[in-house]
Amino acid sequence: SLIARLQRGEHVALISDAGTPLVSDPGYRLVSAAIEASIAVVAVPGPCAAVAALSVSGLPPDRFLVLGFLPRDRGRRVSLLEGYRRERATTVLYVAPHRVIDVLGDLQACWGERRVALGRELTKPGESWLRGSVGEIREQLSVEAGADRVRGEITLVIEGARDVPDGDEAQVEALIFALIGAGVWVGVVRDVVARIYDRPRRWVYQRALSALDPGEQTR
């Protein structure tokens, strides 16, 4: 119906109450339909939380990826994160306050410990920032949530994957088994191998457990 009105010579404005339209809203469908109908589309940009957060995050801004809101379903969310695990660009997420602790937990499991800048209420009087590792930020928010609940509109900026040594899964698993065979504690194997080869801690931990004798798998 909007395209029909545009074709009759009327003007239509797409306005967002959350910053620049189309960055995490459904306006893309209208813009695409207008372009296909040879209707001129002109941008009057508004504030963009992703760019604002990136500018003051302290993380590299030269290459960045905006994933917007992650899926609510944890299985789909983890699957998406696994697909971007080796992305070297700084990543920006929008996170609902009641999901932020779970999202940080999934980030920690899938991407390991990375530097994070978490901004709340950007450009508002109550703007605040937390900076640190994924685990540190999650712990701070868990304490806050224990007192009440996490509040505020949240933009999360995460550092990209580091350059890591080449190594296919067979090589990485061989190292895990060698370390376990040498008597290294499974928790240390998990932390060291995950960091060196940029593998998810959960993935390394499961393989380290499988390398243990059944009677040792509780250590």
Side-chain angles (χ1 to χ4, degrees), residues 91-102:
T91 299
V92 183
L93 302 177
Y94 300 145
V95 188
H98 58 282
R99 291 196 186 92
V100 65
I101 292 174
D102 290 340

Side-chain angles (χ1 to χ4, degrees), residues 19-78:
T20 299
L22 271 69
V23 181
S24 202
D25 77 27
Y28 165 77
R29 289 178 290 181
L30 175 59
V31 170
S32 296
I35 291 171
E36 288 176 9
S38 300
I39 295 167
V41 180
V42 179
V44 182
C48 177
V51 174
L54 184 69
S55 300
V56 296
S57 67
L59 297 173
D62 52 327
R63 292 179 59 208
F64 65 94
L65 172 69
V66 181
L67 291 181
F69 287 97
L70 297 179
R72 296 180 182 182
D73 176 75
R74 185 170 187 272
R76 291 175 57 211
R77 185 166 66 235
V78 168

Side-chain angles (χ1 to χ4, degrees), residues 167-178:
D168 59 25
E169 289 197 5
Q171 291 174 314
V172 177
E173 286 185 342
L175 174 60
I176 293 170
F177 276 69

